Amino acid sequence: MSTLVWPQIAQPDLIKEEERTLARELAWILSSLQDTLQSLKAGLEECAALLAPSEPGSTLVLSSLRSENLKGFITRVGTRIVKGDIQLRLPSVPVPRGQPSYKLSISTQPTAPTLAFGQLTTTRTLINACLDVVDATRWTGDATNADFISGQIRLLHENIQEAKAALKGWTPSQKLWYNDPVDPAAFTPALPANVSFHLCISEAAVLLHVRTLEATNSNGGTSTPLSATAAAGSVAAPSYTGFSIRDRLAGVLGGGKQIVHDEAHEVFVYKGQEVRVKEKVRVESQDPSLMAAMAKLGALERNVALARRALDVVMGRDGEEG
């Protein structure tokens, strides 16, 4: 079934009518996008509030699965870790006499280095940039200029995608643990030389990796504990190759086997030194504020994508890239 116009309209007049209809549709969608931008701003402000440094912050429990290797908590305020106590029970971390485990405490001294999440800083920066784009589009630009509005919507879409990706984690710009060492002075007492403490965000959850390291011997491929190399000075520190004496005795006496993990056979450059990972503990803790922010960013991303697609269709750019 087809619909015909009767009496028939001449082709030149039909083209003019189509152009007028498209112009009215474009004017309508540009007007409706102002309401869309207002709702997007409200959503972005909610995301900004979830990531803002408000007291008392989020206290997250840390506990290793099916083991007592790591237990404790950290408190996040905005992008920073302001408090935390973690108990380690790893064979390669000596426990002080009379203590059940090795305690890592985040320093609360005013002069102590700050532990911060670079990903959250990136996310907050991008959300603020989105708010600036919305304000510029609504108040300083020409709301009737389709090319201008299209460019602003595209910029807004890209910024929201990047903000969401930063909360999701494992972006190309994210630093890996061996390129992002923690300042030992951020802990009280200072972090041992053979321990790597690395925090990041993955799928809107806080992910902690604690690794114990040993230096590699480039000549023979054997290893030396970093605590021994760090103590080397005027008096030569003892060198242990291969398994330590304790590990050898444990093996002879039927003790536990060495713990195998996914980085056991890799060599990394950490603080300018080639190292191997002796032991590794991974702990993940869900952060409700980050989960809510990521969900809201996902919804905002879909809304902006729909608005961008609708405008492209009316402008005749449907199917074009960028």
Side-chain angles (χ1 to χ4, degrees):
M1 181 177 179
S2 61
T3 302
L4 298 176
V5 177
W6 186 264
Q8 293 185 355
I9 301 175
Q11 188 63 25
D13 295 335
L14 181 61
I15 294 175
K16 289 180 181 179
E17 286 299 325
E18 290 176 349
E19 291 175 349
R20 292 191 188 100
T21 300
L22 286 174
R24 287 193 296 268
E25 289 180 353
L26 184 57
W28 175 84
I29 197 169
L30 290 175
S31 177
S32 65
L33 280 176
Q34 296 301 309
D35 295 332
T36 301
L37 289 170
Q38 185 175 356
S39 64
L40 289 174
K41 182 177 181 179
L44 289 166
E45 288 174 342
E46 291 176 1
C47 293
L50 288 168
L51 301 178
S54 57
E55 297 289 349
S58 300
T59 298
L60 308 174
V61 176
L62 302 173
S63 179
S64 53
L65 294 175
R66 297 182 296 275
S67 75
E68 299 290 327
N69 290 340
L70 188 152
K71 286 187 178 296
F73 75 93
I74 57 173
T75 300
R76 179 186 64 81
V77 176
T79 63
R80 301 181 300 114
I81 300 298
V82 299
K83 189 187 301 182
D85 283 315
I86 295 169
Q87 305 288 339
L88 285 180
R89 290 182 181 177
L90 296 173
S92 53
V93 179
V95 176
R97 182 174 297 179
Q99 300 295 325
S101 58
Y102 191 95
K103 185 177 181 180
L104 293 177
S105 296
I106 306 297
S107 178
T108 56
Q109 297 297 321
T111 57
T114 301
L115 285 180
F117 291 102
Q119 293 164 259
L120 296 186
T121 301
T122 299
T123 302
R124 289 188 62 193
T125 300
L126 289 166
I127 289 174
N128 289 334
C130 288
L131 289 169
D132 290 340
V133 170
V134 171
D135 287 340
T137 307
R138 293 185 64 203
W139 305 114
T140 63
D142 184 359
T144 63
N145 186 327
D147 290 325
F148 168 74
I149 298 297
S150 176
Q152 294 294 95
I153 294 294
R154 180 173 63 253
L155 179 59
L156 185 62
H157 191 206
E158 292 171 354
N159 283 343
I160 291 176
Q161 285 179 319
E162 290 181 22
K164 180 186 171 185
L167 283 181
K168 189 177 180 64
W170 311 114
T171 60
S173 61
Q174 183 176 341
K175 290 184 178 180
L176 299 176
W177 68 268
Y178 49 86
N179 293 325
D180 189 27
V182 171
D183 191 327
F187 296 86
T188 304
L191 191 69
N194 68 322
V195 176
S196 165
F197 184 96
H198 187 255
L199 283 166
C200 65
I201 304 297
S202 176
E203 299 292 345
V206 172
L207 188 61
L208 168 63
H209 283 101
V210 174
R211 298 171 173 87
T212 58
L213 311 175
E214 54 188 3
T216 62
N217 186 335
S218 58
N219 295 326
T222 55
S223 303
T224 304
L226 284 184
S227 56
T229 60
S234 57
V235 179
S239 176
Y240 305 95
T241 57
F243 297 106
S244 67
I245 294 176
R246 182 177 61 183
D247 293 337
R248 287 175 178 271
L249 288 175
V252 171
L253 298 176
K257 298 180 180 180
Q258 279 192 311
I259 300 175
V260 179
H261 51 83
D262 59 336
E263 297 175 343
H265 303 293
E266 297 185 51
V267 176
F268 304 93
V269 178
Y270 180 76
K271 295 184 178 181
Q273 186 177 9
E274 287 190 352
V275 299
R276 293 184 189 276
V277 179
K278 191 170 185 179
E279 291 183 275
K280 175 182 175 182
V281 182
R282 179 188 185 277
V283 176
E284 181 177 330
S285 184
Q286 301 293 331
D287 190 317
S289 296
L290 300 186
M291 294 172 64
M294 186 171 175
K296 288 181 181 295
L297 286 172
L300 292 173
E301 179 190 5
R302 290 189 292 272
N303 289 340
V304 175
L306 289 174
R308 184 180 176 186
R309 173 68 185 276
L311 184 57
D312 285 344
V313 169
V314 176
M315 294 179 67
R317 296 177 178 178
D318 188 25
E320 293 185 9
E321 295 183 0

